Amino acid sequence: MEQVKTTEFSLCPKFEKAFAILGKKWNGLIIDVLLENGPQRFGELRQKIPELSDRVLVERLKELESEGIISKAVRCDESSRLEYFLSNKGKDLQQAMEQIQHWAEKWVTAEECS
């Protein structure tokens, strides 16, 4: 009997980590809103992603901040409001996000979005 040779497949740990971050529900949408609209206050993010609860938005913002993808800062104007913005690491996702959008437009049907 001939022995079948199997090769073990393993993912690149960096690739796996990237998909763990980007594949988590809502993270991609938060990043997309910040790419498209620039710095946003919490309420502005919540309005642009209405299905996202306040609690989950807080969790995702903290996670993305801990990963170095977003940062927050107080805007020094008359309102002194806290805004979230993409770090350089987050801005580097622009091309990848555009490619995902292109793929989605080509392959995801309207029926699948309902």
Side-chain angles (χ1 to χ4, degrees), residues 3-62:
Q3 187 174 6
V4 178
K5 191 175 189 178
T6 60
T7 57
E8 189 175 313
F9 176 79
S10 67
L11 289 173
C12 168
K14 291 181 179 184
F15 184 82
E16 193 173 359
K17 174 68 175 176
F19 264 88
I21 296 166
L22 297 176
K24 194 165 198 178
K25 190 169 184 176
W26 305 113
N27 282 355
L29 292 175
I30 293 167
I31 293 166
D32 191 53
V33 167
L34 294 172
L35 282 168
E36 293 292 319
N37 300 284
Q40 299 286 297
R41 294 179 8 213
F42 183 90
E44 293 169 328
L45 285 166
R46 190 180 59 223
Q47 283 181 314
K48 290 180 175 80
I49 313 172
E51 301 85 18
L52 178 56
S53 72
D54 288 357
R55 181 186 61 80
V56 175
L57 179 56
V58 167
E59 287 175 11
R60 295 302 183 269
L61 290 171
K62 285 180 182 178

